[in-house]
């Protein structure tokens, strides 16, 4: 993928991750740490009970992190499939005898379209992710 296009996607995804981290994950981390600290305050609990309590406190955050990771991987896979299609088309075009410069322009155009199409998916993906995150642990 052209460096400029890759940078565009990376910056957009980074901004989305920062937004999700600030608005959702950070609050969940605070709850998890406060919950874990409360587990340790119970002097009547056994070591195993405290450990289980802490595990329960960690579960929503772990679920949230898995959800974010899964969504990002899905997005990455879709973009990679699109760019692979562009590469296949370029290879076919070279094999058909087209000039390298023309094929390079077609490849750049195809990759740019992939990036444009996937950039439009980021707001929807962000909204879906935030809705899913807000329902975790409730």
């Amino acid at each position: 993928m052209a460096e400029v296009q890759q940078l565009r996607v990376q910056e957009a995804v980074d901004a989305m991750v920062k937004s999700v981290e600030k608005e959702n994950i950070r609050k969940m981390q605070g709850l998890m740490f406060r919950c874990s600290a409360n587990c340790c305050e119970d002097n009547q609990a056994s070591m195993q009970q405290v450990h289980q309590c802490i595990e329960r406190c960690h579960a929503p955050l772990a679920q949230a992190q898995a959800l974010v990771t899964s969504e990002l991987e899905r997005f990455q896979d879709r973009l990679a499939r699109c760019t692979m299609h562009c590469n296949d088309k370029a290879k076919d075009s070279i094999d058909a005898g087209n000039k390298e410069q023309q094929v390079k322009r077609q490849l750049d155009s195809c990759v740019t379209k992939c990036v444009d199409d996937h950039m439009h998916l980021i707001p929807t993906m962000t909204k879906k992710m935030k809705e899913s995150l807000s329902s975790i642990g409730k």
Side-chain angles (χ1 to χ4, degrees), residues 25 27-40 49-67 133 136-137:
I25 301 294
K27 289 175 188 168
M28 295 176 93
Q29 285 174 321
L31 288 170
M32 184 255 321
F33 284 119
R34 286 188 290 282
C35 176
S36 296
N38 285 335
C39 294
C40 297
Q49 288 170 322
V50 171
H51 181 72
Q52 288 171 339
C53 179
I54 291 171
E55 288 290 316
R56 280 192 301 277
C57 294
H58 283 245
L61 181 62
Q63 188 181 350
Q65 289 170 328
L67 179 123
L133 288 172
I136 291 176

Side-chain angles (χ1 to χ4, degrees), residues 10 13 25 38 40 45 51-52 62 66 69 81 83 92 104 112 119 124 128-129 135:
Q10 189 62 51
V13 169
I25 301 294
N38 285 335
C40 297
H51 181 72
Q52 288 171 339
T69 300
R81 281 196 310 272
T83 56
D92 293 344
K104 186 172 176 1
T112 298
M119 293 285 280
T124 307
K128 179 182 162 200
M129 222 186 295
S135 70

Side-chain angles (χ1 to χ4, degrees), residues 20-104:
V20 168
E21 192 276 329
K22 273 186 184 169
E23 295 171 29
N24 300 86
I25 301 294
R26 205 174 286 186
K27 289 175 188 168
M28 295 176 93
Q29 285 174 321
L31 288 170
M32 184 255 321
F33 284 119
R34 286 188 290 282
C35 176
S36 296
N38 285 335
C39 294
C40 297
E41 298 295 321
D42 185 355
N43 292 326
Q44 303 303 312
S46 68
M47 187 170 73
Q48 185 178 1
Q49 288 170 322
V50 171
H51 181 72
Q52 288 171 339
C53 179
I54 291 171
E55 288 290 316
R56 280 192 301 277
C57 294
H58 283 245
L61 181 62
Q63 188 181 350
Q65 289 170 328
L67 179 123
V68 171
T69 300
S70 169
E71 281 294 322
L72 289 173
E73 284 174 354
R74 222 177 77 176
F75 176 81
Q76 241 177 345
D77 289 346
R78 287 180 67 176
L79 182 57
R81 281 196 310 272
C82 188
T83 56
M84 285 301 288
H85 174 72
C86 294
N87 288 331
D88 291 344
K89 280 173 44 177
K91 185 181 181 325
D92 293 344
S93 197
I94 288 277
D95 291 346
N98 289 322
K99 290 187 172 45
E100 191 176 325
Q101 208 51 42
Q102 178 188 358
V103 173
K104 186 172 176 1

